[in-house]
Amino acid sequence: MEFIIVLIVVIVLCKVIGISNEILIMCGLGLIELAIIAMLLLFLYFCLHLLFTKSKKAEFVRTAKPEGGKFQVAYYLVDGVEYPCIFPRESGLAYKINKQCTVRYSKRLNKVYDIWSMLTCIIGLAFSIMAVYFSLKVLSMVAIY
C-alpha cells in the first residue's frame, strides 16, 4: 500500500514539474524492464549455481517452514543429514514421505535442489530470456513513435 501512495506522490510531483505523460510512461516501462532483467539475472545465477552442485541420493523427509522463512520447503535426508530445498515446496504436488530421489547438493548454500527446483530454474531462465527479448522489442517500438 505504501508503494502505491509513494508512486502516486511521485507522479503528481512529476506532473507539477511539467513532465509529459509520454516520458512518465517510458519511465514506467523502463522500471518494468529493470524488474524483468533482475528476474533474468536471478534465474541465471541459480542455473549457474546448479551446474556446480553435486548429485546425491536423498530421501524426502518432511515439509516445514525454515527458521526465519515465510514459505514451507521440502526437507531431504542426504547422507544422514537433513537439508532444506532451495526453493519453496510446490503446493500442488504431493510429496511422498520416505521416497528415494536424486537431488543436487549445494555445499556453499548447505541446501539441495530437488527436481522441482531444477525445473523452476531452467523454465524460469527460458521464460525470463523470452520476457527480456520481447519487452526490449516493445520498448524499442514505443521509443520510435
Side-chain angles (χ1 to χ4, degrees), residues 45-46 49 86 106-111 113:
Y45 168 78
F46 280 114
H49 185 260
I86 199 148
S106 168
K107 186 176 182 179
R108 190 170 141 236
L109 297 177
N110 209 27
K111 295 183 178 184
Y113 290 87

Side-chain angles (χ1 to χ4, degrees), residues 57-116:
K57 291 289 182 189
E59 177 182 335
F60 173 73
V61 183
R62 64 187 171 99
T63 60
K65 282 186 185 178
E67 289 183 29
K70 294 181 180 180
F71 303 104
Q72 287 197 354
V73 298
Y75 282 86
Y76 291 92
L77 194 63
V78 179
D79 298 331
V81 181
E82 190 174 279
Y83 296 106
C85 188
I86 199 148
F87 289 125
R89 73 176 182 89
E90 298 295 327
S91 59
L93 301 172
Y95 290 89
K96 294 179 183 154
I97 294 180
N98 298 330
K99 181 182 178 198
Q100 297 292 322
C101 58
T102 302
V103 296
R104 305 284 299 182
Y105 171 67
S106 168
K107 186 176 182 179
R108 190 170 141 236
L109 297 177
N110 209 27
K111 295 183 178 184
V112 296
Y113 290 87
D114 61 3
I115 185 67
W116 307 114

Side-chain angles (χ1 to χ4, degrees), residues 20-33 138-145:
S20 69
N21 289 341
E22 292 82 18
I23 298 295
L24 286 176
I25 291 171
M26 287 302 291
C27 288
L29 290 175
L31 288 175
I32 292 170
E33 182 64 30
V138 168
L139 272 178
S140 67
M141 289 182 346
V142 170
I144 291 172
Y145 297 109

